[in-house]
Amino acid sequence: MILKKYFYVVLILLALTTFGVVGAFAEEAVQQAAQKGPSLDEIVSVNKIALDTIWVLITAFLVFWMNAGFALVESGLCRAKNTVNILAKNFIVFAISSIAFYIIGWGIMFGDGNPFFGIQGLFLLTGADNSPATGDAYKGVYSAINWTGVPLYAKFFFQLVFAGTAATIVSGAVAERIKFISFIIFSFVIVGIIYPITGHWIWGGGWLAKMGMFDFAGSTVVHSIGGWAALAGVIVLGPRIGKYTKDGKVKPIPGHNMSTATLGALILWLGWFGFNPGSTMAADANAIARVALTTNTAAAAATLTATITAWLMLGKPDLSMILNGTLAGLVAITAPCAFVSVPSSLIIGLIAGVIVVLAVVMFDKLLLDDPVGALSVHLINGTFGTFALGLFAEDRFMPGTTGNGLFFGGTKLLIAQITGIIGVGVFTFLISIVAWYIIKAVVGLRVSEEEEIIGLDIGEHGVEAYHIVGGEERI
Amino acid sequence: MILKKYFYVVLILLALTTFGVVGAFAEEAVQQAAQKGPSLDEIVSVNKIALDTIWVLITAFLVFWMNAGFALVESGLCRAKNTVNILAKNFIVFAISSIAFYIIGWGIMFGDGNPFFGIQGLFLLTGADNSPATGDAYKGVYSAINWTGVPLYAKFFFQLVFAGTAATIVSGAVAERIKFISFIIFSFVIVGIIYPITGHWIWGGGWLAKMGMFDFAGSTVVHSIGGWAALAGVIVLGPRIGKYTKDGKVKPIPGHNMSTATLGALILWLGWFGFNPGSTMAADANAIARVALTTNTAAAAATLTATITAWLMLGKPDLSMILNGTLAGLVAITAPCAFVSVPSSLIIGLIAGVIVVLAVVMFDKLLLDDPVGALSVHLINGTFGTFALGLFAEDRFMPGTTGNGLFFGGTKLLIAQITGIIGVGVFTFLISIVAWYIIKAVVGLRVSEEEEIIGLDIGEHGVEAYHIVGGEERI
Amino acid sequence: MILKKYFYVVLILLALTTFGVVGAFAEEAVQQAAQKGPSLDEIVSVNKIALDTIWVLITAFLVFWMNAGFALVESGLCRAKNTVNILAKNFIVFAISSIAFYIIGWGIMFGDGNPFFGIQGLFLLTGADNSPATGDAYKGVYSAINWTGVPLYAKFFFQLVFAGTAATIVSGAVAERIKFISFIIFSFVIVGIIYPITGHWIWGGGWLAKMGMFDFAGSTVVHSIGGWAALAGVIVLGPRIGKYTKDGKVKPIPGHNMSTATLGALILWLGWFGFNPGSTMAADANAIARVALTTNTAAAAATLTATITAWLMLGKPDLSMILNGTLAGLVAITAPCAFVSVPSSLIIGLIAGVIVVLAVVMFDKLLLDDPVGALSVHLINGTFGTFALGLFAEDRFMPGTTGNGLFFGGTKLLIAQITGIIGVGVFTFLISIVAWYIIKAVVGLRVSEEEEIIGLDIGEHGVEAYHIVGGEERI
Amino acid sequence: MKKIEAIIKPFKLDEVKDELNKVGVQGITVSEVKGFGRQKGHTELYRGAEYVVDFLPKVKLEIIVTDDVAEKVVQTIMNTAKTGRIGDGKIFVSNLEDAIRIRTGERGKDAI
Amino acid sequence: MKKIEAIIKPFKLDEVKDELNKVGVQGITVSEVKGFGRQKGHTELYRGAEYVVDFLPKVKLEIIVTDDVAEKVVQTIMNTAKTGRIGDGKIFVSNLEDAIRIRTGERGKDAI
Amino acid sequence: MKKIEAIIKPFKLDEVKDELNKVGVQGITVSEVKGFGRQKGHTELYRGAEYVVDFLPKVKLEIIVTDDVAEKVVQTIMNTAKTGRIGDGKIFVSNLEDAIRIRTGERGKDAI
Ligand SMILES: Nc1ncnc2c1ncn2[C@@H]1O[C@H](COP(=O)(O)OP(=O)(O)O)[C@@H](O)[C@H]1O
Ligand SMILES: Nc1ncnc2c1ncn2[C@@H]1O[C@H](COP(=O)(O)OP(=O)(O)O)[C@@H](O)[C@H]1O
Ligand SMILES: Nc1ncnc2c1ncn2[C@@H]1O[C@H](COP(=O)(O)OP(=O)(O)O)[C@@H](O)[C@H]1O
């Protein structure tokens, strides 16, 4: 058992160093812009590039910061005895994403290729590229993302933090029972392969993009994908011991630290101001201001309706439901944020907040044990948001892109949206099921019953998260 | 009782959806800037607008982030048994603010109107507006804020995060005894009505603005107003059970988590770099650098003098006093930050740090129970900061605005400042008292004695914040 | 004893106010740029200055935010009974830094002077300066930093947040036994004197700069210096009671709160996106994107190898080692981040992650008790990073600066790096030892044995950090 | 010697301690316990599902006294801890064979 | 009256409580304790050094009953708390002299 | 059988446990308690007001032993836990009627 563990970590280590060394002596793709004696004209456009780049980087930092949000929400809503494990998962997942997306993910997603995946410039960002040149001036192999005039590394970094999010979503749903090593492996797979493939379909110029599907900041590309992979994981893993009685009744397992969970949700809310407005990938004043406002309005509205729904339906304003409500609003507005009006964003948020509460209850009815509500937030509302874009989009905001949604006279868009939802869902769910089963067969998926009872902290990491009570540390 | 609760939440729900639907089909006010074939000249100014907009948005994000700071400071300085309630209050308050300020608050504050409140473009941001046009080129109904060349939505979003702060200040002072629903209602009232009215006086071109009162980032507009409303709440509510003995001696109720309280204070310090430098609402290099530095210098100085004062006067360097000291310095420099020199900011900070410690002790002497020191920080130092602006301002920093303060030869300014302090104080305190009493009469204000003892977490939310001790979760 | 304490705090208070008042009436150095009727040309360059300034300020905010990271990592990895003390230390240290660097530190570091320290414009930022003028146009006394075209205050603020970091590093290593007042005094000394002197050598145009040593964002200037001072402190203080048995065996003292420690590490990771990319001190699109990516890649790689090393070598993936791994990668890439390729950054990170785990074990073997691993992270990896720059640098990234490192055909650079490492190390260690001993002689350094056992929270601050368990607060 | 164990409501602890002090009790050992009894627990709610928390926070006092003052101690606790509402708690009295003060090695009555 | 103290595995608490309830036990006082016994503790690991955690989390029940039901209570705990694995815990029985219900002042059997 | 309860200073726990182990004690149950006694508490300070924390953290050991080793156990605790300073704690000895090992159902001496 122990040896098996070693074997795999050594494998990873080898792979990493190999790729590192290979990469180190591969030619770098980024063209250094020659800058001697610039004309006024050039300075202006350098200013524009710099402006766009700092916007892209700063918003990317905000999205990176969401890792802290996910870590705290998940650990806060789970039990103290699994805290170290959850924190470790959430912490290491971004490191894994960084490497996996660098090695292969980016190339599959944005490399020129066929409608299903990228083929050129596949590994280590080594394809030809003359960013920040845009449009026709762009000569390189990552042409699907040539619309933004920032350096390649800025594009990569921004996309990387998004890729990291998808894996993190899975973490929450499979918490408190998955083996550490198995989660690590799945994270490599989702960020290196699964996410980039469907990402290619929509953002990489693939078949859904061609069909006219839109997803501004990733309700589907990021959130639903994470959600489908999580659903597969939840099914393969089964519920935590003690979550459901034999006759299917729910026995709540309360979160151990609502302070950190709430802080986490606030971090996510903040991070979303990077996620959505940053997805312009350019400092377009009107667009970013509008996106910031639609994002916030949906979040606020969903917070209120989730509160009210929980209060009326369940009897009390459950804080964990309030937090889920906000996140639901944020996920739902992610696809449509740039294409809809502020009042529309308000309505989308109002609905999302109700949906998420119902979804949490529903998943429990289905005995699908999702400790943090990741499915209700990311899968259900990612889907809802993608759909809502087909209803509420208005052509006037980004003329020549989405066209109008159903409520404003268009139908084509909605059909494309539904196709995207189904296509991505079926593919991601199936490939994830396969991935989970392979991991299960090879290294196993779930910790032992004894370890689950005593806690994964002691089992997987040999340490406890808290020594807070006065005398304890003196014992 | 329960029914009564339902009644009000349903009312809110109805109001929200109505406004949402109404708004959805109202024409949007933002003019999309036509951008075909731009001249160099236009690009340069587009760059300028974009630059200002990303500055405004990023600093607004930082101010948004202060919500997390308030949540953690307040919950950390209160008892574990009320943590969920406090977190829920602080979390939902920004959602409420977002909706209330959108529906009506913005219009009252910035709509063209009379010296006392705005009248035009009152609801849902629907007034005419051609931002980012500025000065004479501006044609719209929000002319008091036409000095900044960013899109309307950027202006709104920035002002919104400020409005949210005022309500949050109240939260801390009324903690551990107020009913959840009553706090929600008051938050709607303060952000929708009270704050915008006095805000209109000073920032909306109202009578105090005309008189020559200045308040750069809101020592009075935001902090004192929050403080006065909080004072009214503290008086109407009365102290927490057990805080004072019958003979008026203080029985300290120590905070339950100094880790989160300290993190909260650091978040606030960070957020203030949005609050103050962002209030330029334009990326004016000299101004924002200077404001960042005056802000930080005052905070640092106040931290040190609060530490020293607590150490000398009370015997030990009390961490909660140190944290209050920093916040006091930040609140005090908020009004003058752009109008004073760095050495002046140092002096303002040094004084603020002493004041806040004395104020905490004084409020306890007066049997005004303010669990987190909100009155000492926001009311007292908001007032001090507004006053200090009248002393330390120098015309050279923003020529043609404040003129010189008393220490640099001017007297007019100080008189305007004092008028503002008194005018705003009297109005806000009275209207808040009325609001609190009406809420008390209709839904009640304070939880039952039994609930207060057992904790609002179980009483209001049916859940506990922490399950941290090892065996506990297995019991 | 008590009187002695008072004496020193009064001294500090007096010094502070004196300097404040003196400063208040000293002429301010910043030249207000005249801005009437600007030509297009001027606007473009105003845009450029504004752009650079917001980049510098925002990244400075991120670096400021690292204070929260240090506070949480340190308090989380120490015991509950010392939490208030650790938080207070970490909180107040930035206030101290702000004042000390303002009063004297900046002048020593960046004032024109001799190869060893600055002489002109020493106090309170009062030297002549016409920033944002750069290069030959610059007329002032801070010419070592005239390469960046931002206002003086922006330069100062950015450098200030770096200075603060050095003192914070020390905090972690001396935790759980140092007297509060002694730490405060040492912080004044390091930020006011020690850090600026060696800083002058490298960033202030001193002898190492002239020799051709490079340290882009401070692996040596900030981290190693902090590390050397910390090492001196650890030696003078001795280990915590109970850390080592008489026969030199380690008795682990587990951290009390891994949630906050992990959050802290994520904050630091985020903050580093200010630390490194911000050190361009200009919004140069290519440079900042590349630096962001090398920084993240090294961090991710180090996270993974630290995990693997801990897993293989120690048996389990220890979370505290994973966190240290990330920080090690970040520290190591700090010097070379702008001068090396992404694949090189990957390799640097891979190595840093292994080094840090070995270093933690080594320091324990040497009975040097460093509760949080500050020496392994900052000293060892600061040194490694500075050295790695001499190996991996490539001239093409910043033509005309570093030249090529050893692996790319250059040797001169590596020699300069090694000289820098040794020169800075010897000086900083010796002067720190002296400083620690003087403090020890005058006010004492270590709390009493009894206080150490009962905890510094009660001893130094008279308060406990947590009252979390249900019944506790009712007792 | 008698060992008196009292389970009381947590918020009464300070008062009881003060009163016991007045009647001459010199030492008390206190622990946090959870009580299950006639007093019903409360219902908590989490993510849409309810659950009953049967165990309520109580405080347990252990007091060793000489036989002669035992009854006074019992009476004092009873009077002070009483609110008249369900869940006020119980007092249990049992016999103790020996007591030793670690610091001095004193035994029996002298050790209390 | 008898005082029955049982040290059991924490996850068995709910079950034991329910069974005791069925046999008519009306009150239980529970506390969290750490047990050291034949069951070995586990090894933890921190920053490269191992250490043994000897003390395992256990739950202690205190139940006061009249003499006649004592044996039934013992049996019930034994049957319910048993997993057959080392560390299942112990039951200790001792004599109690008096019991008082604070709320009413009832003493002896009536107080239980 | 005897039940020995010892209230000691927390930092002495490890040592006491080791010594008891040496004299053959096979089981100990430990709980965190707060002690009030001759040893004065300390003053804490919060936001300008002082308050006395009377209750100091102590650790309580419960050890069930056969009558013959009881005295040795008492002596061992006394010697090991002693610092000579006030607040070292107390040892209380009482009689136990029965002990049961849940795992096996053994009773009396065999159960210890
Ligand atoms: N038979 C018992 N054995 C042990 N503890 C008991 C017993 N009966 C009551 N208790 C303790 O006393 C507390 C109060 O008892 P309860 O029945 O709720 O109220 P009352 O004593 O007023 O009838 C319980 O929470 C429990 O801790
Ligand atoms: N002699 C004793 N005195 C006090 N507590 C004991 C004694 N023996 C055992 N215990 C308690 O019972 C628990 C279980 O005992 P252990 O020896 O581990 O298993 P088992 O009872 O199955 O042999 C211990 O953790 C301890 O709390
Ligand atoms: N009569 C008593 N009943 C119960 N516990 C006692 C009694 N006397 C002392 N204790 C416990 O013993 C601890 C130490 O007693 P204390 O009087 O402070 O010191 P010493 O025993 O050295 O005189 C107390 O904190 C308390 O927990």
Side-chain angles (χ1 to χ4, degrees), chain A residues 64-65 68 72 87 91 263, chain B residues 263, chain C residues 65-76 257-272 323 326-327 330:
Chain A
F64 165 82
W65 182 225
L72 295 181
L87 295 168
F91 190 85
L263 176 60
Chain B
L263 176 59
Chain C
W65 182 224
M66 291 170 70
N67 285 291
F70 283 111
L72 294 182
V73 168
E74 181 181 340
S75 63
N257 191 336
M258 295 309 293
S259 290
T260 53
T262 306
L263 176 59
L266 282 164
I267 290 173
L268 290 172
W269 195 338
L270 175 65
W272 240 283
L323 306 181
T326 308
L327 302 182
L330 289 164

Side-chain angles (χ1 to χ4, degrees), chain D residues 2 4 25-30 61-65 100-104 106 111-112, chain F residues 7-9 33-40 54-58 84-92:
Chain D
K2 296 286 175 220
I4 298 168
V25 168
Q26 299 233 14
I28 308 176
T29 300
V30 173
L61 284 69
E62 288 171 79
I63 311 151
I64 311 302
V65 290
I100 301 102
R101 187 191 311 279
I102 292 175
R103 172 163 53 95
T104 57
E106 288 161 288
I112 299 179
Chain F
I7 321 286
I8 63 170
K9 288 188 169 163
V33 298
K34 308 242 172 192
F36 167 83
R38 280 173 185 74
Q39 184 188 15
K40 287 289 145 278
D54 283 322
F55 291 103
L56 296 167
K58 300 277 171 193
R85 273 183 289 180
I86 207 158
D88 273 354
K90 300 270 157 80
I91 307 174
F92 303 125

